[in-house]
Amino acid sequence: MAERSSTDPAVFTIAANHAFADSLAAGLIERFGGDPLALAGGRILLPNNRAVRAMTDAFVRQSGAGLLLPRLIPIGDPEIEERIGGALDLADEGEPVAPAIDPTERLFTLAAILGREGIGSAEALRLAADLARALDALRIEDISPARLAGAVDETSDLAMHWEKSLAKLELITRAWPQILAQRGRIDLTERRNLLLRRTAARWQSKPPTGFTVAAGITTAAPAVAELLAAVARMAGGEVVVPGLWLDDVMPKAEWDWLGPREDGHGEPNHPQFQAKMLLDRMGVNRDGVRNWPGVAGASSPPQRALAVANAMAAPRFSDKWETLAPAGRRLEGVRLAEFPDVAAEAQGISLVLRQALETPGRTAALITPDRGLATRVSALLERWGIEADDSAGEPLSHTPAATLILAIAGAAAEDLAPVALLSLLKHPLVGGESDARLKWLDHVRALDKNLRGPRPAAGLAGLDRYFAEQDRAKRVGRDWAVVRPLAAALDGLLAVPVPLATLAQSLADLAGQLASERAWRGSAGRMVADMLAAWQAESAARDLIVTANDALPLLRSLFGSQALRPPYGKHPRIFIWGLLEARLQRADLVILGGLNEGTWPGQSTPDPWLPPKVRATLGMPTLESRVGLSAQDFASALGAPDVIVTRARREGRSPTVASRFWLRLKAIDPDIAVDRGLADLARVLDAPDAVRPADRPEPCPPAAVRPTKISVTAVDRLRADPYSFYAEKILLLRAWDPLDADATAAWKGTAVHDVLDAWFRQDGCAAGTLAPRIDAMLADEALHPLVRALWRPRLAEAIGSVEGTVEADRALGREPARSEIPGEAIIAGVTLNGKADRVDSLGDRGVAIIDYKTGQAPSKPVIAAGYALQLGLLGLIARQGGFGLACSRPKSFEYWSLAKDKGQFGYRRDAGAESGQADFLDWTQALFERAAGDWLTGTRGFKAKLNPGRSIHGNYDQLMRLDEWYANAD
């Protein structure tokens, strides 16, 4: 190549409607392909390692045969914290450049410093990550921390919380260089700047042999701009800027308006703002930029680039939309597709990607910043056996190896609470493999069943007491004995705060104990093992103290910040790219997904350390610059030959707002193609040919399987909702309580019944003895403190009413006689059984049967309608001698409730009197005999919701498919 003057920089661009990597490779092969050594003797500076991979693939595609590649050198993109390429690392000839501090070491050191302020380690780690980014931002822009104080003085109207943050930041920025000096390290960004500047200075005085091309670099960091300026002016050097809008696309007035302007403002949210800054810092006028000589790969129509530029015009120039000629606003080859929700959007995108494979050699890519959408699409593609090449990978925290560590930490942090403990015990890596795993799960499921309900006391001791209870010991004693050694290993792991290094050692040991070598298999297992080992070896991790409350969020943050990249071997023509991964890459069909505000562009997260006013004063990129980067990625992606832009109108239950980019496309081209059929295809793909709602179920089992024994508490359900009775008593389907359940009404009732029974048996219902028993019940460790606080005043008043009523009855000759007595009787060929909470002797008049209620007693209309038969049925058992001869003359049938009535807690109500029947027992028997004759000894079907107003239980509503038929039920 001919020598050039230093005043004649060689700067080129490849328009966004051309494939950047392919065009660059084609141009270089055309120029140097005749001499393989000439091509191999050059070098290409690229922004990051992903760009290196893209260029390698492009050379393979364009060569059509073997060739010797030039050196592909990443200069280290500050956005993704990549290290500089090894070739430029040699720039420290002469005085050596200190090595960069490891990012993990820096993060832990900063977190330890912040932890001294009294905040938790998880919050300290989050703030440390933001602080590290703030320090990098200052370094990238060559802003000395000493300038911070001056910037603060210039912005004296800051809020108090900003002043505190800046004061702390000033202290850290003064202390941080000393910490680095003690360790013989420097920041990664500072080292990058030093190496880039040394390279620029060396190349200015002594250019390297062969050609040098700096390609695809868009960051305008000063050190990067200096290197590119040197490359553009040295012999054999060229700079290729991607997607620069030249004068034929963006007039000079608009270009100049991007800034910096005389008023000090600019348009940082414009897609060309970064390119303008880069050229300005390189000292290059846009008029001197030429198109790259060579085009390859799939291209889109040239007029689309003009339409995109017009669509993304700065607000000052958007009035030109009214006068644009059709050629300046036509987005040919771009389609919009709107979907009702995110699930339909993912389904539609997967259909388009699948359809692209029908054309031989056609490539297709989804570009989206929405990782949730990308994950959905990837999963939907698997239905056709397509494993998309998702270059963004998945968070390490989602992998089995990491979730095992998180489960261990969660179980320890929550003192072996049932949900956390069972999550660990059921983890797919725990319990062995094959038959051993199945046997292990049998033990765990047995414990799961018996841990339902309120949480046991904390720790191993609490579980030991819980499972030592007589009935549980018989049922699951052997299962607990199998699991207990692992629970014992977890007990007390986070009882006291521990350094992160110590916690990492314990987690690694426990993971090995629980899952042996399975914990470290595969790339995810190796990555987790390496991270745990690094934490153990990291001296800064010994200063980061972790408490039980911080352990889980801290580990989630550390694992979630790492991505597990997919290995090679995914589908060669279907790709899923994030915005960073999509740069410099191109596919025949590109789908831009998730075009909603807050997703694309993303919602700007404020910097907790540097307020916007200080950023502006220091001349740093503002939060709006992130919008500009998103706009740049969006405009570049629109250069693909075939483009579909998608959005969902709803996400979850919330409506979404269309992205400003989506609205600009519709504004610039009102006739833009809209693909309405795609949403229809997504909707009907899994839709059945015909939808026939289920009929109201009315199973009619044979007499042999119908129960001939029934509890007094089940009769009301049988009469109101026969299907629910059928599901529970014949199908034997019973709803389990949730784990870690709140104290339910049933649990409360059982606890109070036990107290009242002990009050009778041990205290003889003596006055003043009930309150201590209630206090002992409320002291149960399993009871939630909030429930305890709410119950105590209510029960205190209610038990006073109970004791007062008993004493008043005694004065009239009534005496408690029996408590919690079971009995049964045969009526209408069916065995009726039940338990009377208490039976009082009325002297010569017979007995009173009492049913305790912690909630409201059945109302008078319910009793009169015959849907509160429990007391009457207990009376029938008593009349037949089922509770003994002493209780065979029932005269009174009473509810004793602890609930509130007429302004006070605790009342008594007589069901016999409120039934409105002259003979309460005969009336009850007639209703029971009719029900028994219909469903137990007869042949009537068990109809669902026979009396919906009296069917208060919903455990079987899904089983009976209630929503399908209820609206049309007769």
Side-chain angles (χ1 to χ4, degrees):
M1 178 176 287
E3 293 285 339
R4 294 193 317 273
S5 168
S6 60
T7 60
D8 184 23
V11 182
F12 299 86
T13 187
I14 297 175
N17 62 310
H18 300 307
F20 183 89
D22 289 270
S23 296
L24 181 65
L28 291 175
I29 291 173
E30 182 179 356
R31 189 186 308 171
F32 301 104
D35 183 359
L37 295 181
L39 185 63
R43 66 204 53 78
I44 304 177
L45 306 184
L46 295 164
N48 50 53
N49 291 319
R50 298 186 183 102
V52 170
R53 177 178 172 180
M55 278 305 306
T56 302
D57 294 341
F59 272 114
V60 171
R61 285 192 298 269
Q62 296 304 315
S63 65
L67 51 76
L68 296 175
L69 295 182
R71 299 179 70 183
L72 305 177
I73 306 169
I75 67 168
D77 193 334
E79 285 186 58
I80 51 181
E81 298 181 353
E82 285 189 338
R83 294 183 181 273
I84 201 163
L88 297 186
D89 210 347
L90 300 176
D92 58 355
E93 298 172 357
E95 183 182 352
V97 177
I101 187 172
D102 183 79
T104 301
E105 180 184 358
R106 179 176 73 158
L107 180 66
F108 288 165
T109 303
L110 292 174
I113 294 173
L114 294 171
R116 297 169 194 160
E117 304 291 329
I119 60 177
S121 57
E123 178 65 8
L125 192 75
R126 184 187 70 80
L127 289 173
D130 290 329
L131 175 57
R133 283 189 284 270
L135 293 174
D136 285 344
L138 292 170
R139 288 289 186 188
I140 290 170
E141 295 298 321
D142 283 343
I143 297 173
S144 170
R147 289 182 54 195
L148 203 57
V152 174
D153 293 339
E154 293 180 40
T155 53
S156 57
D157 57 342
L158 291 175
M160 184 178 296
H161 72 280
W162 279 122
E163 292 181 356
K164 291 181 179 179
S165 295
L166 285 166
K168 190 180 299 182
L169 178 59
E170 285 187 75
L171 291 175
I172 294 173
T173 53
R174 285 200 296 265
W176 183 242
Q178 300 173 6
I179 296 173
L180 290 175
Q182 291 171 0
R183 301 183 183 185
R185 297 287 189 272
I186 59 176
D187 278 322
L188 177 63
T189 49
E190 183 181 3
R191 189 171 194 276
R192 179 190 292 115
N193 289 347
L194 286 172
L195 292 177
L196 292 177
R197 287 194 164 101
R198 286 193 179 189
T199 301
R202 189 176 76 250
W203 283 358
Q204 282 176 339
S205 60
K206 185 181 178 181
T209 59
F211 68 88
T212 302
V213 176
I217 300 168
T218 56
T219 179
V224 175
E226 288 180 27
L227 176 62
L228 267 57
V231 170
R233 291 174 172 85
M234 74 184 189
E238 296 170 322
V239 174
V240 185
V241 181
L244 184 68
W245 295 352
L246 299 179
D247 193 62
D248 59 336
V249 174
M250 186 178 189
K252 187 177 186 303
E254 294 186 37
W255 176 261
D256 292 339
W257 182 256
L258 296 181
R261 303 195 295 265
E262 293 181 358
D263 58 5
H265 297 292
E267 297 291 335
N269 56 359
H270 192 278
Q272 290 289 292
F273 179 77
Q274 286 291 323
K276 177 72 161 54
M277 285 187 61
L278 177 60
L279 292 184
D280 287 348
R281 288 179 174 178
M282 289 173 59
V284 174
N285 192 299
R286 188 184 61 156
D287 295 339
V289 178
R290 294 165 286 170
N291 284 308
W292 177 254
V295 173
S299 300
S300 61
Q303 62 268 26
R304 189 197 298 172
L306 179 60
V308 171
N310 288 328
M312 307 300 285
R316 179 183 179 88
F317 299 94
S318 60
D319 58 340
K320 67 180 180 179
W321 290 350
E322 299 178 1
T323 59
L324 281 177
R329 62 191 315 157
R330 186 176 299 117
L331 291 166
E332 183 180 348
V334 178
R335 290 176 284 162
L336 304 182
E338 199 169 23
F339 298 86
D341 52 45
V342 177
E345 183 181 12
Q347 186 76 273
I349 292 171
S350 67
L351 281 169
V352 173
L353 294 175
R354 171 65 183 86
Q355 187 182 32
L357 296 180
E358 298 298 318
T359 303
R362 184 173 172 81
T363 58
L366 165 65
I367 301 176
T368 179
D370 187 346
R371 290 305 306 159
L373 178 62
T375 301
R376 284 174 180 264
V377 172
S378 182
L380 289 168
L381 286 171
E382 291 180 2
R383 73 190 301 175
W384 296 296
I386 300 172
E387 291 189 69
D389 185 358
D390 187 351
S391 57
E394 65 173 327
L396 184 62
S397 56
H398 293 178
T399 63
T403 55
L404 174 62
I405 301 298
L406 293 173
I408 293 172
E414 296 191 36
D415 281 334
L416 306 182
V419 172
L421 178 61
L422 290 171
S423 296
L424 172 60
L425 298 177
K426 292 179 181 180
H427 192 279
L429 296 179
V430 176
E433 297 178 291
S434 189
D435 292 342
R437 167 78 176 166
L438 296 177
K439 292 178 181 178
W440 171 262
L441 289 178
D442 287 339
H443 296 302
V444 175
R445 287 167 183 149
L447 296 178
D448 183 350
K449 183 176 181 180
N450 282 272
L451 281 170
R452 298 283 162 162
R455 176 189 295 195
L460 184 66
L463 289 172
D464 281 338
R465 289 196 300 271
Y466 183 83
F467 288 117
E469 191 268 333
Q470 186 175 4
D471 290 340
R472 293 193 186 95
K474 292 179 181 178
R475 293 194 301 267
V476 293
R478 184 174 63 89
D479 303 297
W480 175 235
V482 172
V483 170
R484 190 182 185 282
L486 296 182
L490 294 166
D491 191 44
L493 176 63
L494 288 167
V496 295
V498 296
L500 177 60
T502 304
L503 178 62
Q505 176 67 59
S506 300
L507 292 173
D509 294 342
L510 285 167
Q513 183 179 345
L514 287 165
S516 63
E517 77 283 353
R518 294 184 304 279
W520 320 119
R521 286 179 183 170
S523 55
R526 291 190 294 272
M527 193 171 179
V528 170
D530 290 343
M531 290 182 69
L532 292 175
W535 301 346
Q536 294 172 49
E538 182 57 62
S539 60
R542 301 188 187 102
D543 299 326
L544 190 60
I545 306 302
V546 183
T547 65
N549 290 334
D550 290 328
L552 207 53
L554 182 142
L555 291 171
R556 282 201 187 105
S557 175
L558 289 171
F559 287 137
S561 64
Q562 302 296 316
L564 183 67
R565 305 292 176 187
Y568 286 95
K570 300 292 185 179
H571 202 284
R573 294 198 283 137
I574 299 296
F575 312 97
I576 298 177
W577 295 327
L579 301 189
L580 285 174
E581 292 80 19
R583 293 174 184 173
L584 309 188
Q585 303 198 74
R586 181 59 54 87
D588 299 321
L589 167 66
V590 166
I591 303 167
L592 309 182
L595 262 293
N596 286 322
E597 202 68 17
T599 300
W600 198 342
Q603 189 171 3
S604 294
T605 304
D607 186 337
W609 295 101
L610 292 171
K613 287 186 177 181
V614 172
R615 279 178 166 270
T617 301
L618 292 172
M620 297 177 63
T622 63
L623 298 180
E624 289 183 334
S625 300
R626 301 174 188 174
V627 178
L629 291 173
S630 292
Q632 180 184 20
D633 293 328
F634 180 72
S636 298
L638 286 173
D642 191 5
V643 179
I644 301 177
V645 186
T646 70
R647 69 172 293 261
R649 290 189 294 271
R650 299 187 69 85
E651 184 172 0
R653 296 183 178 181
S654 304
T656 59
V657 177
S659 166
R660 65 192 75 179
F661 304 152
W662 172 283
L663 297 177
R664 280 176 173 262
L665 294 184
K666 296 187 71 173
I668 197 67
D669 187 359
D671 298 324
I672 188 171
V674 178
D675 193 335
R676 294 184 174 85
L678 194 54
D680 294 335
L681 282 176
R683 176 176 49 82
V684 303
L685 180 63
D686 295 318
D689 294 335
V691 177
R692 183 180 181 275
D695 296 326
R696 186 177 194 172
E698 190 174 358
C700 191
V705 301
R706 294 181 184 238
T708 57
K709 189 173 184 179
I710 188 172
S711 167
V712 295
T713 58
V715 174
D716 292 334
R717 177 178 293 189
L718 172 64
R719 298 184 66 245
D721 188 2
Y723 184 88
S724 291
F725 177 88
Y726 162 82
E728 181 178 358
K729 302 299 182 182
I730 298 179
L731 298 182
L732 303 180
L733 300 175
R734 293 179 176 86
W736 288 6
D737 290 332
L739 292 164
D740 263 0
D742 293 331
T744 61
W747 189 92
K748 295 175 186 176
T750 300
V752 171
H753 277 64
D754 291 344
V755 169
L756 292 172
D757 180 46
W759 179 54
F760 170 84
R761 295 180 186 277
Q762 300 175 28
D763 303 326
C765 295
T769 58
L770 184 54
R773 293 191 176 276
I774 291 293
D775 289 339
M777 180 198 74
L778 292 175
D780 187 351
E781 295 181 9
L783 199 61
H784 193 283
L786 179 61
V787 176
R788 183 183 298 115
L790 293 174
W791 272 21
R792 190 179 296 278
R794 301 180 184 188
L795 287 179
E797 183 177 341
I799 61 175
S801 173
V802 170
E803 287 185 326
T805 302
V806 170
E807 290 304 306
D809 287 345
R810 277 176 168 159
L812 298 175
R814 173 172 169 169
E815 187 71 26
R818 303 283 296 278
S819 175
E820 297 292 334
I821 54 172
E824 65 179 29
I826 298 176
I827 302 174
V830 174
T831 300
L832 180 66
N833 62 61
K835 182 183 287 187
D837 292 341
R838 201 178 85 209
V839 175
D840 285 3
S841 171
L842 303 178
D844 295 339
R845 293 182 294 115
V847 297
I849 298 176
I850 296 172
D851 182 42
Y852 296 131
K853 295 291 185 185
T854 52
Q856 293 289 349
S859 64
K860 183 175 181 179
V862 172
I863 295 173
Y867 289 98
L869 296 179
Q870 180 179 349
L871 280 172
L873 295 171
L874 291 172
L876 294 179
I877 295 174
R879 189 167 68 178
Q880 292 196 14
F883 296 128
L885 294 177
C887 302
S888 59
R889 292 187 300 134
K891 296 298 182 183
S892 182
F893 312 92
E894 300 171 355
Y895 291 112
W896 286 40
S897 173
L898 305 184
K900 193 173 186 179
D901 182 60
K902 297 180 181 178
Q904 65 180 15
F905 287 96
Y907 63 88
R908 174 168 59 181
R909 180 179 294 158
D910 192 315
E914 293 193 347
S915 68
Q917 302 296 322
D919 193 323
F920 179 58
L921 289 184
D922 287 347
W923 173 71
T924 300
Q925 181 165 346
L927 293 176
F928 175 74
E929 288 177 350
R930 188 179 308 137
D934 283 345
W935 292 294
L936 303 182
T937 60
T939 59
R940 186 174 179 180
F942 292 84
K943 193 170 187 176
K945 302 290 183 184
L946 182 63
N947 293 285
R950 307 301 180 189
S951 178
I952 59 174
H953 300 284
N955 290 337
Y956 305 99
D957 287 356
Q958 185 176 7
L959 182 66
M960 67 177 67
R961 298 167 70 171
L962 178 71
D963 292 339
E964 295 186 41
W965 55 262
Y966 186 71
N968 299 320
D970 51 12

